[in-house]
Amino acid sequence: AQSVAQPEDQVNVAEGNPLTVKCTYSVSGNPYLFWYVQYPNRGLQFLLKYITGDNLVKGSYGFEAEFNKSQTSFHLKKPSALVSDSALYFCAVRDPAGGSYIPTFGRGTSLIVHP
Amino acid sequence: SQTIHQWPATLVQPVGSPLSLECTVEGTSNPNLYWYRQAAGRGLQLLFYSVGIGQISSEVPQNLSASRPQDRQFILSSKKLLLSDSGFYLCAWIGIGLGMNTEAFFGQGTRLTVV
């Protein structure tokens, strides 16, 4: 079985400060991990993914995420937050060993960047 | 390039009325298609998924049904809407031909309000 957890419902950060949105996962084998962003009344947009290789993955809009196998985490980061980064962020996992094409999404973390 | 279309964007329907939401994909073939519902702007609930024409899997028993009459068309329906059917509905696809590591692409969503 595959699962993902986003322990924070909301993250508040001041503009210009670094931000981190946390995600932990559970799979039987090696995970495929994804981050998506959702703006109000819009569909989810893909930000970045980890499949294999370098643990630090760079994605859209200056975001990056670090895959940590020992801690089963895939936290989303950005060195300097913008007000326009305020949105709902979803972490997702897929277990290739499980043979399923259905990703499991976290509950979402609301990121609020204050001017 | 691949695109996904979902309509309508908003819908207000009376209790007991029928529902039909449509999702179409362009630029790919034989995609896996998914219907999600998002309540209160938070987590995604998988409703249905389809791996091919006429093949529908239901994740949650409810007042809704889905159909896939064509390879790139996925329809969400109801014969009689309930107040509890209100929510934000999202269609998504993953191209299985690209491998299991492919991210999901989402439509823009439909805001359904049952009154």
Side-chain angles (χ1 to χ4, degrees):
Chain A
Q2 60 189 34
S3 66
V4 63
Q6 294 181 243
E8 303 155 315
D9 283 344
Q10 184 171 305
V11 170
N12 292 278
V13 64
E15 187 174 30
N17 284 0
L19 69 88
T20 299
V21 182
K22 296 179 180 178
C23 172
T24 59
Y25 67 88
S26 176
V27 297
S28 57
N30 295 316
Y32 291 168
L33 293 159
F34 308 84
W35 275 103
Y36 296 84
V37 60
Q38 184 184 31
Y39 298 99
N41 293 312
R42 308 286 286 183
L44 278 67
Q45 298 176 32
F46 168 73
L47 277 179
L48 51 79
K49 64 183 176 184
Y50 171 82
I51 304 301
T52 187
D54 194 349
N55 289 344
L56 184 62
V57 178
K58 295 187 182 296
S60 306
Y61 312 120
F63 284 94
E64 58 188 28
E66 186 169 11
F67 171 63
N68 187 317
K69 188 172 183 177
S70 63
Q71 298 185 7
T72 61
S73 67
F74 189 56
H75 301 330
L76 182 69
K77 300 181 179 183
K78 188 173 183 181
S80 179
L82 300 172
V83 172
S84 58
D85 292 331
S86 299
L88 191 57
Y89 290 81
F90 289 93
C91 181
V93 66
R94 198 181 315 158
D95 182 1
S100 171
Y101 288 103
I102 303 174
T104 297
F105 288 86
R107 289 190 68 253
T109 297
S110 178
L111 173 66
I112 300 176
V113 181
H114 303 277
Chain B
S1 63
Q2 301 94 346
T3 57
I4 180 169
H5 302 280
Q6 185 182 342
W7 67 93
T10 60
L11 192 59
V12 180
Q13 292 285 96
V15 170
S17 64
L19 172 73
S20 181
L21 303 181
E22 188 163 346
C23 172
T24 60
V25 181
E26 296 178 359
T28 187
S29 59
N30 199 22
N32 280 5
L33 296 171
Y34 307 81
W35 277 112
Y36 288 91
R37 178 168 56 200
Q38 186 178 28
R42 295 315 295 257
L44 301 177
Q45 179 187 35
L46 179 63
L47 303 176
F48 302 94
Y49 69 95
S50 172
V51 299
I53 297 174
Q55 300 179 63
I56 307 294
S57 297
S58 174
E59 290 293 299
V60 182
Q62 58 210 315
N63 187 41
L64 301 169
S65 62
S67 62
R68 187 163 175 181
Q70 300 179 42
D71 180 45
R72 288 172 282 182
Q73 184 184 30
F74 202 25
I75 298 172
L76 183 68
S77 304
S78 174
K79 292 183 179 178
K80 290 185 177 181
L81 283 169
L82 305 172
L83 287 174
S84 57
D85 292 325
S86 294
F88 192 55
Y89 289 83
L90 289 160
C91 179
W93 75 269
I94 299 174
I96 59 173
L98 300 176
M100 291 186 69
N101 57 348
T102 300
E103 60 270 24
F105 295 90
F106 284 82
Q108 291 304 297
T110 297
R111 174 72 60 192
L112 172 65
T113 304
V114 183
V115 296

